[in-house]
């Protein structure tokens, strides 16, 4: 085994290099070897100071996240972190100046190691952060105690509760780092360390005092942060725990604050919230691994793109390409349609600008990358075309037939269809190996999910290119199979079926939306439909009815169709499931008409309306998702359960701290989920048949993941 930490002396300074690719994560052996190397430097007469640096592309990206799975109880965690705290204290007690030299990232435990050094220098493009909260934990190696001493309580509160990394110049201004090195980092760090050795300067962060007025202001900042989190982090544990740990340090001092940090960390690390977030961390990285598309499959560079259709989706897709710096042709049938599309794009950028996220100059530069056109001129130059025309099979087929002629043979032909069979387009194009689905979610320039739909003949390099492109576009690409609605919308049909049926049974639109937002979704099913447009779903239902199909088994509520017939399409028409102040307004009020429509429908179907408990709403909706998700996996349309979780988190805002619908089902316990399905089948009908995979896993006492999460 090669050493994880190397030791050498250069120019009278001990250089301790952490070399644990790919990100120098702090596995238990790395901790031990850093400790040994720093102590060796202390004893080494040839070294007057020590520099701690990372090999490869980064300093240290944090503790090894996989190790947290070994902590089964809070006591396990407390015992382990007491050892870590003592180790960092030993480092800090080094009698020779100890300097962290940071490039890439110093995150989580990485920044905590750096804070236990006496000084920190960094490259200008380095980033430092305490992202633990994004994993449902808090800094557990003294970060909640040392960071406020370095940067002040306010900054520490921000970093520990939002988890966002801070760029080196800002970290310098905040006092987190002491110098930016513009040339070679190691040489700069050695020179800095020698300066400090000559000046006999050692600064232990744990000894930096909190002034009395800083404590007062810090405690007020803790209160204010807590109040703000009540709105932004509802239902979550870790952000509040981070505040409590920082507060404890302010009130009780370093040593007692550290004890409190260990206790709070221990409570968090065994929580379902943390397990869910850690699961997603790895699931998000797993999605890029497609079993039969090896890592070395050639993936092409996409330098130029075209989008066909300048409607809401097409415009959003063109913006996505332009935002990534890729020039894009935007084609529509006539000038009027193009101008409408461009006006929407301009409006969207104006909003971004008004929020201070882009300057006027950046907007102009980005918009200049979008070239409107009504012809196929220039399509022979592009590497990819994304078709985003109206959701109609004949129209799409004829578009693909044209695209097959006007583009280069190696050009990828992607469809943004959300429901239709991409193999049909593939056939029409004449080169099916180049055809793939790129299903963006509305608004396409904002939502991070990209379903990459694999057709029967889609080539492996088109899949590899799509995954690489998704990353470049700032999206999370998930490869899915070509079934109706693919994965996201196929499962959504079951979610919506239950929402409609619950309404007919006696729940109200407001109750269902409230319960789901309390569960953690950004918007409930009815609010979501009012944004997306009730007409969109209604047209798909009509199309399916015309070919004798429906989106989900079981009774299909007629209430949404009644709204469609009434022209109530949602926000855009000023009325849908709610009433709005005006078309386009987001200010909504409940509408008694919906209750009336639900009652009519219930009567027709012989349903006796009843009060529906909030718990039943969550149970019905999440059970429907998990049961259909199990079918999706078994039918091979998703590679693994984690892919579905990633799809739901990024496509529909399923609460991250619940891990996605499949992980959530595991936390409920699949035996309970199956019992619910059986109960619903008895109460509502055979359309509630259990997915065979769910039955099998429940019988074996397993979850969708090899090691099921403990029931909440
Ligand atoms: C912590 O530190 C707690 C402390 O308070 C201490 C308590 C005692 N562990 O993301 P990438 C893997 S909590 C294990 O694709 P990028 C990752 O799975 C931690 N593995 O690269 C992937 O594996 P694979 C706080 C890790 O360049 C590979 O490395 N720190 C870890 O796009 C490459 O990763 C964080 O939360 C890890 N800590 O992004 C930071 N990190 O190739 C977590 C990465 O098999 N990490 N891997 O799929 C990141 O945010 C990104 O990885 C980073 C690089 C920005 C660093």
């Amino acid at each position: 085994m090669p050493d994880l930490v190397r030791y050498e002396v250069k120019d009278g300074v001990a250089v301790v290099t952490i070399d644990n690719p790919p990100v120098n994560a702090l596995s238990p052996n790395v901790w031990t070897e850093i400790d040994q190397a720093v102590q060796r430097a202390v004893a080494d007469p040839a070294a007057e100071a020590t520099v701690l640096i990372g090999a490869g592309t980064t300093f240290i990206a944090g503790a090894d996240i996989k190790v947290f799975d070994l902590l089964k109880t809070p006591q396990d965690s407390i015992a382990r972190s007491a050892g870590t705290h003592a180790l960092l204290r030993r480092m800090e007690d080094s009698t020779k100046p100890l300097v962290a030299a940071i490039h890439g990232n110093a995150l989580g435990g990485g920044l905590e190691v750096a804070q236990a050094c006496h000084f920190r220098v960094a490259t200008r493009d380095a980033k430092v952060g305490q992202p633990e909260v994004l994993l449902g934990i808090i800094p557990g190696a003294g970060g909640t105690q040392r960071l406020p001493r370095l940067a002040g309580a306010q900054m520490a509160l921000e970093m520990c509760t939002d988890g966002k990394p801070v760029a080196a110049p800002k970290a310098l201004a905040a006092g987190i780092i002491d110098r930016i090195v513009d040339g070679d980092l190691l040489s700069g760090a050695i020179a800095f360390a020698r300066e400090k050795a000559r000046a006999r300067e050692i600064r232990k962060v744990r000894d930096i005092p909190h002034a009395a007025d800083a404590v007062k202001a810090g405690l007020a900042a803790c209160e204010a942060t807590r109040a703000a989190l009540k709105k932004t982090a509802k239902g979550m544990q870790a952000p509040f725990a981070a505040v409590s740990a920082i507060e404890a340090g302010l009130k009780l001092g370093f040593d007692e604050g550290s004890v409190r940090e260990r206790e709070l960390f221990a409570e968090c690390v065994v929580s379902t919230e943390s397990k869910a977030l850690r699961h997603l961390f790895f699931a998000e990285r797993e999605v890029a691994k497609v079993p039969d598309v090896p890592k070395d499959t050639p993936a092409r560079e996409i330098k130029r793109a075209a989008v066909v259709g300048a409607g809401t989706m097409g415009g959003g897709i063109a913006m996505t390409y332009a935002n990534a710096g890729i020039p894009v042709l935007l084609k529509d049938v006539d000038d009027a349609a193009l101008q409408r599309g461009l006006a929407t794009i301009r409006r969207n950028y104006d909003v971004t600008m008004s929020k201070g996220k882009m300057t006027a100059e950046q907007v102009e530069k980005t918009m200049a990358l979008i070239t409107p056109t009504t012809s196929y001129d220039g399509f022979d130059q592009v590497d990819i075309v994304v078709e985003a025309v109206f959701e109609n099979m004949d129209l799409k087929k004829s578009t693909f037939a044209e695209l097959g002629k006007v583009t280069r043979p190696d050009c990828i032909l992607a469809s943004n269809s959300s429901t239709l069979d991409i193999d049909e387009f593939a056939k029409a194009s004449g080169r099916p190996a180049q055809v793939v689905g790129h299903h963006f979610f509305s608004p396409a320039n904002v939502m991070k999910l990209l379903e990459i739909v694999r057709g029967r003949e889609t080539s492996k390099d088109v899949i590899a290119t799509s995954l690489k492109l998704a990353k470049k576009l700032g999206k999370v690409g998930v490869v899915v199979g070509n079934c109706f609605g693919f994965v996201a919308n196929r499962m959504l049909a079951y979610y919506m079926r239950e929402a409609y049926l619950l309404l007919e049974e006696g729940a109200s639109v407001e109750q269902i939306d409230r319960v789901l937002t309390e569960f953690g979704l950004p918007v409930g099913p009815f609010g979501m439909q009012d944004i997306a447009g009730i007409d969109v779903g209604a047209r798909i239902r009509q199309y399916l009815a015309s070919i004798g199909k429906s989106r989900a088994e079981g009774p299909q509520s007629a209430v949404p169709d009644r709204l469609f017939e009434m022209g109530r399409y949602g926000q855009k028409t000023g009325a849908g499931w709610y009433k709005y102040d005006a078309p386009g307004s987001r200010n909504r009020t409940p509408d008694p008409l919906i209750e009336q429509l639900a009652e009519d429908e219930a009567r027709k179907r012989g349903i006796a309306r009843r009060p529906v408990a909030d718990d039943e709403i969550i149970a019905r909706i999440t059970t429907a998702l998990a049961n259909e998700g199990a079918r999706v996996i078994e039918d091979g349309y998703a590679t693994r359960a984690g892919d579905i979780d990633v799809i739901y988190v990024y496509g529909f805002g399923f609460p991250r701290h619940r891990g996605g619908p499949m992980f959530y089902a595991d936390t409920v316990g699949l035996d309970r989920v199956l019992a619910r399905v059986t109960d619903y089948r008895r109460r509502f009908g055979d359309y509630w048949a259990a997915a065979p995979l769910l039955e099998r896993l429940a019988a074996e006492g397993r979850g969708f993941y090899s090691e099921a999460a403990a029931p909440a």
Side-chain angles (χ1 to χ4, degrees):
M1 277 273 287
D3 286 345
L4 296 167
V5 174
R6 292 195 302 269
Y7 181 90
E8 63 189 318
V9 178
K10 265 191 178 169
D11 301 334
V13 172
V15 177
V16 175
T17 307
I18 301 137
D19 191 3
N20 185 26
V23 293
N24 295 328
L26 294 160
S27 59
N29 289 343
V30 173
W31 282 111
T32 310
E33 290 187 31
I34 292 177
D35 187 24
Q36 287 166 350
V38 171
Q39 297 318 316
R40 180 174 167 189
V42 170
D44 189 345
E48 55 178 343
T50 310
V51 165
L52 197 62
I53 195 165
T57 55
T58 196
F59 181 64
I60 300 173
D64 184 341
I65 298 166
K66 291 201 177 87
V67 171
F68 298 140
D69 291 345
L70 306 173
L71 306 174
K72 301 290 179 206
T73 66
Q75 288 70 30
D76 290 347
S77 168
I78 286 174
R80 192 184 276 261
S81 53
T84 311
H85 279 211
L87 186 157
L88 290 171
R89 229 183 149 92
R90 245 185 336 268
M91 277 177 60
E92 204 171 24
D93 285 338
S94 162
T95 48
K96 295 175 182 173
L98 177 57
V99 178
I102 300 168
H103 73 301
N105 294 286
L107 299 177
L111 182 55
E112 291 170 300
V113 165
Q115 290 169 50
C117 294
H118 303 136
F119 304 100
R120 287 144 295 281
V121 299
T123 57
R124 193 166 290 279
D125 58 355
K127 289 192 180 128
V128 302
Q130 299 287 178
E132 287 87 346
V133 73
L134 306 176
L135 298 168
I137 52 176
I138 65 169
T144 64
Q145 305 305 307
R146 288 193 178 87
L147 190 56
R149 286 177 155 74
L150 271 179
Q154 179 65 44
M155 177 96 177
L157 282 163
E158 280 165 28
M159 288 175 68
C160 294
T161 57
D162 72 16
K164 288 189 192 136
V166 171
K170 192 172 169 192
L172 178 70
I176 300 171
I177 60 171
D178 302 285
R179 183 178 290 177
I180 287 183
V181 174
D182 278 319
D184 176 61
L185 176 64
L186 181 58
S187 311
I190 290 175
F192 182 91
R194 292 181 66 178
E195 276 171 41
K196 296 297 172 192
R198 305 263 146 79
R200 298 187 181 283
E201 212 183 319
I202 278 178
R203 189 170 75 142
K204 296 184 190 177
V205 177
R206 69 169 193 260
D207 290 342
I208 299 174
H210 281 311
D213 55 344
V215 170
K216 203 168 154 211
L219 291 175
C222 287
E223 271 316 311
T225 306
R226 227 180 239 124
L229 288 172
K230 280 189 184 138
K231 291 189 198 116
T232 55
K234 237 189 313 180
M236 293 176 72
Q237 177 178 355
F240 294 95
V243 177
S244 298
I246 291 172
E247 191 177 48
L250 292 169
K251 283 185 179 161
L252 309 171
F254 187 86
D255 291 345
E256 284 186 57
S258 298
V259 172
R260 191 72 193 116
E261 179 192 274
R262 293 204 281 272
E263 290 165 359
L264 287 160
F265 178 89
E267 284 166 23
C268 289
V269 79
V270 297
S271 68
T272 302
E273 171 181 323
S274 179
K275 286 178 192 156
L277 290 167
R278 276 146 44 200
H279 150 68
L280 279 175
F281 177 86
F282 290 110
E284 278 162 26
R285 284 154 179 85
E286 271 303 279
V287 290
K289 297 166 192 160
V290 183
D292 67 334
V293 180
K295 227 177 156 181
D296 56 1
T297 306
R300 290 200 352 242
E301 193 70 41
I302 300 293
K303 296 200 186 98
R304 289 170 183 283
V307 174
V308 181
T312 314
M313 283 311 282
I317 296 168
M319 285 175 76
T320 304
Y321 275 90
N323 291 344
I326 301 173
V328 56
L329 297 168
L330 179 60
K331 180 186 179 300
D332 213 315
V333 280
D334 57 35
D335 213 45
L338 271 180
Q339 291 315 321
R340 269 197 307 275
L342 286 173
T344 309
I345 292 175
R346 166 69 64 187
R347 245 194 333 272
N348 288 339
Y349 278 126
D350 284 346
V351 172
T352 314
M353 215 162 55
S354 70
K355 290 184 184 159
K357 290 185 182 162
M358 271 176 118
T359 62
E361 198 190 334
Q362 283 168 329
V363 167
E364 292 318 314
K365 235 172 124 181
T366 310
M367 278 206 70
L369 291 171
I370 304 175
T371 307
T373 176
T374 51
S375 78
Y376 282 120
D377 289 351
F379 273 58
D380 56 346
Q381 303 290 315
V382 302
D383 305 303
I384 187 167
V385 182
V386 187
E387 164 280 309
V389 302
F390 195 64
E391 194 77 349
N392 173 294
M393 182 55 99
D394 291 338
L395 176 61
K396 295 217 183 229
K397 272 164 67 172
S398 63
T399 305
F400 271 85
E402 282 167 353
L403 289 174
K405 293 186 198 113
V406 298
T407 56
R408 286 195 322 257
D410 64 340
C411 175
I412 294 177
L413 304 178
S415 171
N416 179 51
S417 173
S418 56
T419 44
L420 301 175
D421 180 357
I422 72 150
D423 286 332
E424 293 283 325
F425 318 149
K427 228 183 299 163
S429 75
R431 38 190 164 89
Q434 296 302 108
V435 174
V436 65
H438 279 187
H439 179 211
F440 289 81
F441 287 71
S442 186
N445 52 313
V446 176
M447 298 300 286
K448 286 200 48 134
L449 177 64
L450 178 68
E451 276 189 316
I452 298 168
V453 188
R454 191 173 185 167
R456 205 179 304 126
E457 294 184 50
T458 309
S459 75
K460 290 183 185 178
D461 58 307
V462 166
I463 296 293
T465 304
S466 298
L467 283 163
K468 185 173 157 193
L469 173 67
K471 218 170 170 180
K472 186 160 184 196
L473 297 178
K475 306 286 177 199
V476 178
V478 187
V479 177
V480 298
N482 179 28
C483 58
F484 188 81
F486 316 128
V487 172
N489 284 336
R490 170 168 160 171
M491 287 173 63
L492 185 72
Y494 289 80
Y495 170 95
M496 291 308 300
R497 179 192 75 190
E498 286 311 298
Y500 296 144
L501 294 179
L502 284 158
L503 174 68
E504 290 185 5
E505 286 164 40
S508 69
V509 161
E510 302 81 84
Q511 183 194 6
I512 297 169
D513 276 358
R514 172 184 55 77
V515 168
L516 283 152
T517 49
E518 280 171 4
F519 182 73
L521 281 140
V523 58
F526 298 104
M528 177 176 80
Q529 268 219 327
D530 272 1
I531 296 167
I534 288 170
D535 50 326
V536 179
R539 290 211 171 92
I540 293 172
R541 274 194 302 279
Q542 280 176 348
Y543 164 73
L544 285 174
S546 76
I547 57 169
K549 286 189 176 163
S550 74
R551 291 185 85 157
E553 290 103 44
Q556 304 298 313
S557 171
V559 180
D561 296 321
R562 298 279 305 278
L563 294 180
F564 176 62
E565 286 155 18
M566 294 160 89
R568 295 176 64 119
Y569 295 171
Q571 281 184 10
K572 60 187 169 192
T573 59
W577 292 104
Y578 294 89
K579 271 193 296 207
Y580 295 86
D581 290 355
S585 160
R586 291 179 187 178
N587 256 349
R588 69 188 195 193
T589 41
D591 191 339
L593 174 89
I594 307 292
E595 186 78 5
Q596 194 52 57
L597 294 177
E599 263 174 36
D600 291 350
E601 193 56 23
R603 198 172 322 109
K604 270 192 229 151
R605 298 208 300 110
I607 297 169
R609 296 190 91 219
R610 62 186 166 96
V612 178
D614 290 357
D615 285 355
E616 180 174 352
I617 294 173
I618 295 294
R620 289 263 297 275
I621 281 182
T622 57
T623 304
L625 279 175
N627 195 41
E628 188 57 16
R631 282 212 182 87
V632 166
I633 299 168
E634 196 147 49
D635 295 349
Y637 291 111
T639 309
R640 57 216 135 205
D643 289 18
I644 295 180
D645 285 337
V646 172
I647 285 174
Y648 260 75
V649 164
Y650 284 108
F652 299 113
F654 195 95
R656 290 184 68 85
H657 65 281
R658 299 193 190 272
M662 310 312 280
F663 187 90
Y664 177 72
D666 273 9
T667 64
V668 170
L670 291 196
D671 51 346
R672 264 177 83 195
V673 174
L674 178 63
R676 283 177 183 166
V677 174
T678 312
D679 175 47
Y680 299 155
R681 183 172 189 160
R682 185 181 52 73
R683 280 164 62 194
F684 304 115
D686 278 347
Y687 66 90
W688 263 108
L693 177 64
L694 175 63
E695 284 181 320
R696 206 165 56 244
L697 291 174
E700 291 167 5
R702 292 168 56 207
F704 289 115
Y705 298 94
S706 46
E707 197 188 350

